[in-house]
Amino acid sequence: MLDIARSWVQQSQRIAVLTGAGVSAESGVPTFRDAQTGYWAQFRAEDMATEEGFRAHPERVWDWYQYRRDLLAGVHPNAAHQALAEFQQRHPGRLTLITQNVDGLHQRAGSTGVLCLHGGIFENRWLDAPRACCRIEHAAPGHPPYCDRCGNLVRPGVVWFGEALPSATFEAAEQAAHQCALMLVVGTAGAVYPAAGLARQARAAGARVVVLNPAPSELDDAAHAVLRGAAGTLLPHLLAG
Ligand code: APR
């Protein structure tokens, strides 16, 4: 199956890749839905990844994001991130990388034009529409930092459950899904929409779809081929050449 998928890579002028937390697992970054080690095994997504959760307990949520930022500062891109970045460098303009990850590891590996559907964990923005007094660079230190004039809180620049995806980014991702001849779906449970819908859109538009995942995912049924294995092992083989 790996050889067939490899021939599809070689034949495809336009390739889209949709990645999820599993692509960073081999770097030592926890996924969300792993039954033992996933973040959602320990925390409730409603508490840590919604605006309501942040408003209810801003300190707890801020500290959790700070913990994740600190963790990311100590890890490195792995062979999967590198294989994607190197393919983009060898074949300019051929591979569009769409990620649900906020960890910045694709960019650190050297990937360009990464479509970050769920924002970036190292970005900050104001919780409420900023007034003239809210200057992000002057935010008073705290957990979270805040505007010392009006009390507005700083929040991480990620997309929480119930929030809209950045529209231009999502439109570019949909365009890539519609135009590609091949979509690789790497390291995602395929449980969160609209991101997961991109694989179904790609298939409906005529692309071949290949899932790379060591475990069953909710997108297996959308795939022409399912490769069971770790991204850091499979992607370097698939994208060689
Ligand atoms: N290589 C490839 N896939 C792997 C690996 C690996 N080494 N290790 C684990 N996986 C797979 C798991 O089998 C699982 O299917 O990665 C997937 C991770 O799934 P989730 O934890 O659900 O992460 P993801 O699909 O990215 O979540 C989507 O949900 O919590 C929100 O906003 C958050 O962007 C996230 C979104």
Side-chain angles (χ1 to χ4, degrees):
M1 210 66 227
L2 184 59
D3 287 341
I4 294 171
R6 240 182 109 169
S7 72
W8 292 347
V9 168
Q10 285 155 6
Q11 289 160 19
S12 299
Q13 263 320 303
R14 283 175 191 247
I15 301 170
V17 180
L18 173 66
T19 67
V23 83
S24 297
E26 291 158 84
S27 292
V29 184
T31 64
F32 295 97
R33 291 176 181 77
D34 184 276
Q36 270 84 44
T37 59
Y39 283 129
W40 301 151
Q42 200 184 343
F43 301 105
R44 285 174 5 125
E46 302 88 304
D47 292 338
M48 296 304 198
T50 64
E51 186 183 320
E52 296 71 31
F54 183 78
R55 286 187 189 278
H57 296 286
E59 182 171 338
R60 178 171 77 184
V61 176
W62 181 262
D63 284 350
W64 185 59
Y65 280 88
Q66 194 54 48
Y67 163 79
R68 290 174 57 194
R69 289 169 172 176
D70 291 346
L71 183 145
L72 288 170
V75 306
H76 302 285
N78 64 51
H81 302 108
Q82 276 153 11
L84 288 162
E86 286 165 16
F87 188 92
Q88 284 185 309
Q89 279 147 22
R90 286 197 307 279
H91 305 280
R94 206 164 137 206
L95 187 153
T96 303
L97 184 48
I98 307 163
T99 190
Q100 299 165 86
N101 298 346
V102 297
D103 58 28
L105 287 172
H106 284 305
Q107 295 90 327
R108 281 169 57 189
S111 273
T112 51
V114 186
L115 298 172
C116 296
L117 298 177
H118 295 165
I121 198 168
F122 293 102
E123 289 161 31
N124 284 323
R125 60 184 175 84
W126 293 105
L127 177 60
D128 292 310
R131 300 190 209 154
C133 58
C134 299
R135 304 269 303 275
I136 208 101
E137 66 273 19
H138 295 155
H143 302 245
Y146 61 99
C147 175
D148 59 10
R149 304 258 174 103
C150 72
N152 203 354
L153 299 178
V154 172
R155 58 160 283 182
V158 299
V159 175
W160 282 329
F161 288 101
E163 295 182 328
L165 273 51
S167 57
T169 304
F170 188 63
E171 278 162 28
E174 281 191 305
Q175 197 180 9
H178 282 262
Q179 292 177 347
C180 67
L182 174 68
M183 176 176 275
L184 306 179
V185 179
V186 188
T188 179
V192 173
Y193 283 75
L198 292 167
R200 300 189 184 281
Q201 286 184 41
R203 175 151 188 160
R208 286 195 175 107
V209 176
V210 179
V211 162
L212 286 71
N213 199 312
S217 85
E218 294 186 27
L219 287 170
D220 290 358
D221 69 310
H224 296 87
V226 176
L227 303 179
R228 286 272 172 257
T233 306
L234 291 174
L235 273 180
H237 285 293
L238 206 54
L239 298 178

